[in-house]
Amino acid sequence: MNTLRSDFQKGQTLLDYFYYWEKQQPKKVYLRQPEGDRYRDYTWRDVGKQARTLATYLNSLGLPPKSNIGLVSKNCAHWIIADLAILLSGHVSVPFYPTLTASQLHQVLEHSGCAVLFVGKLDQWPAMKPGVPETVHCIDLPGYTTDPDHVQWNTILTRYEPMTDNPQPHSEDLFTIIYTSGTTGSPKGVMMPYQAMISAIDATKPLMCVDVPDSRFFSYLPLCHVAERNLVEALSLITGGTVYFVESMATFANNLAAARPTHFLGVPRIWLKFQQTILATLPQQKLDRLLKIPVISGLIKRKLRMALGLNDVRLILTGAAPTPVAIIRWFRELGITIQEAYGMTENLGVVSVMPPAAIKDGTVGMLYNGIQVKFDPITGELMTRSDWTMRGYFREPEMTAATLDADGWLHTGDVGTLDDDGFLAITGRVKEIYKTTKGEYVAPAQIETGFAENNFVDQICVAVQQLPQPIALIVLSETGLKADKTQVSQSLEETLNTLNPNLHTYQRVKKAVIVKEPWTVDNDLMTPSLKIKRKMIESRYEPHLQPWFEREETVIWEK
């Protein structure tokens, strides 16, 4: 049973935590990789031996000190082992999204100057491979890609000995370069020194349930994203817990149920999917009736939490995009308390979190100790300052200067407010506040939350540009796809009739358009962290927006 050491001191790096657990509980399982109906387990000793051996190999390559080393793979046990190996070797970890195209991979590899690239669990490696410059030395993670042009992981393990010392990086050394997902242009490499990670750990640890015995984490969001890397990799190293991985999205439900995590991060789209899964077998009216019966209510809640794999959960966070209040309240009725968290890559995702004992819906919680905020008096843009703010964008001094001012204030691009009780609310993006052809400004994200209670809606993007008033582009949920068209249309009209009276006249949604194609990572209409790419979606449908707006009917089905 692991419990967080009470004598862990402030100022420790993730490597310090790793050294401790590697020594104290070598036989405890750290990483669990699903393989069909079985799991391949890696103990702390196994992870240490492999990571240390790979570090020996990396050091044998004669790279300049503190070289950038890339990692492209879906989440798996060897992702974390490779990341640890890079840190142990004294180099800089530079992870990339596993969904990149060849040209995108080429861009970030060239920009980052990576000399070595770990290649792992990927769907389309042959299509990605042409994007790797010839000068980059590639290493294959075992069990996934086996490229004859690459050095094989298992070959390294048989030919090299594990390093035996425990390197201690300087606090000002670069820990990682995190490339953003590029929702509004080319990805930017966020430089984070060890000092920033140390400060963020010390600030967040009191609120992250680090004292839960036998902590379990479920890894399915991209580990190269700051949120997953924090909650899964970093927190598992801090607590000495166990990480379970998802094998594929087809096995997501079974893998989650097997993991029974104590800590779980769910982006808004995941909570919507969970809700739709429950309502597909237990319609809302029936659920409402059962929840009113005292004894039955408790049994139903427990059964649903167990079915989702969340019965043992102690910390549930949501972030990356706004989660509608209606969804959060719906799950709260089932005994599942979702805590909103807010941050961005440039401040390690550490700005605020909802306190479980003092929830204020419609906000993203209270500020962590050590974070300062202020707002632009004209635009309302939120600015933050802390000891864990990025050093800057790699090789992009002009972009850095435009985002991080001389006084250390990070311009987030988000519009928000801080109330008298200390709760932070995010009301939109500076760049996503659009002007209608009538000259009025509209923030689409705020309107989109009004569709959260309609179970026929899976994805939504409110389009404003070049229109007198907004129209809603909608992708139907599985429930909506199975329903009668007339029923769907009536339901959406009812949603508009409920939503619009609460909006200013110029904000009211004029049409609801049901589009045929879902928005996915594969068609480049959604980021790897499952946020819609608003500009890409608006561009895709731009030729149709005005004709749709001029149609007589309120609900329109794309032909």
Side-chain angles (χ1 to χ4, degrees), residues 30-342:
Y30 176 28
L31 307 175
R32 302 205 74 195
Q33 182 65 46
E35 296 178 353
D37 295 331
R38 303 176 58 191
Y39 279 87
R40 185 179 295 274
D41 292 340
Y42 299 87
T43 65
W44 286 88
R45 176 185 290 158
D46 296 332
V47 171
K49 183 177 181 180
Q50 292 196 29
R52 290 173 177 277
T53 303
L54 286 158
T56 299
Y57 173 73
L58 291 175
N59 287 331
S60 76
L61 298 177
L63 302 173
K66 305 172 187 177
S67 292
N68 294 340
I69 295 182
L71 170 55
V72 59
S73 174
K74 289 184 176 182
N75 299 13
C76 61
H78 292 95
W79 196 106
I80 289 182
I81 297 173
D83 199 38
L84 288 168
I86 295 169
L87 302 182
L88 286 165
S89 67
H91 295 305
V92 181
S93 173
V94 189
F96 303 119
Y97 282 96
T99 52
L100 297 178
T101 63
S103 62
Q104 291 168 337
L105 181 60
H106 183 83
Q107 178 191 13
V108 290
L109 283 172
E110 284 280 305
H111 187 270
S112 63
C114 285
V116 177
L117 176 68
F118 283 94
V119 179
K121 185 179 181 182
L122 299 165
D123 292 332
Q124 301 292 336
W125 173 246
M128 295 174 70
K129 184 177 179 179
V132 181
E134 293 183 1
T135 56
V136 175
H137 182 81
C138 292
I139 303 168
D140 279 345
L141 274 61
Y144 304 108
T145 303
T146 304
D147 192 307
D149 296 330
H150 298 176
V151 174
Q152 298 302 309
W153 181 291
N154 288 333
T155 301
I156 294 172
L157 296 185
T158 58
R159 295 182 181 177
Y160 292 83
E161 292 297 321
M163 66 188 306
T164 55
D165 59 329
N166 292 343
Q168 292 292 337
H170 295 292
S171 62
E172 293 307 311
D173 288 346
L174 269 190
F175 162 68
T176 189
I177 298 175
I178 308 173
Y179 275 85
T180 61
S181 56
T183 57
T184 57
S186 299
K188 300 181 289 291
V190 176
M191 295 186 290
M192 282 295 174
Y194 278 91
Q195 172 273 324
M197 196 68 185
I198 291 168
S199 297
I201 289 171
D202 290 340
T204 59
K205 206 163 53 175
L207 300 172
M208 292 296 106
C209 297
V210 294
D211 58 348
V212 176
D214 293 318
S215 299
R216 295 183 299 280
F217 304 85
F218 184 65
S219 183
Y220 70 100
L221 294 169
L223 268 166
C224 57
H225 188 279
V226 68
E228 185 82 352
R229 207 160 175 209
N230 284 350
L231 190 75
V232 172
E233 184 183 35
L235 205 50
S236 68
L237 287 169
I238 292 167
T239 63
T242 301
V243 179
Y244 289 69
F245 295 89
V246 66
E247 186 170 22
S248 69
M249 293 315 292
T251 65
F252 180 96
N254 289 338
N255 295 155
L256 177 57
R260 295 181 299 109
T262 57
H263 299 68
F264 182 73
L265 170 66
V267 293
R269 185 160 171 75
I270 290 296
W271 294 114
L272 181 61
K273 290 292 186 183
F274 284 169
Q275 183 190 47
Q276 291 171 353
T277 298
I278 292 171
L279 293 178
T281 55
L282 194 58
Q284 188 66 59
Q285 290 184 343
K286 183 176 181 180
L287 178 61
D288 290 340
R289 288 198 303 270
L290 292 174
L291 292 179
K292 291 178 182 178
I293 306 172
V295 176
I296 299 297
S297 175
L299 293 174
I300 289 293
K301 291 177 182 179
R302 184 172 182 274
K303 185 175 181 180
L304 291 176
R305 291 196 301 267
M306 288 184 67
L308 292 175
L310 300 178
N311 209 47
D312 294 343
V313 76
R314 290 282 301 278
L315 176 71
I316 304 179
L317 296 181
T318 187
T323 301
V325 171
I327 295 290
I328 292 176
R329 288 174 175 167
W330 190 88
F331 278 99
R332 197 183 300 152
E333 288 294 315
L334 300 181
I336 297 174
T337 301
I338 302 172
Q339 296 170 240
E340 285 221 65
Y342 168 74

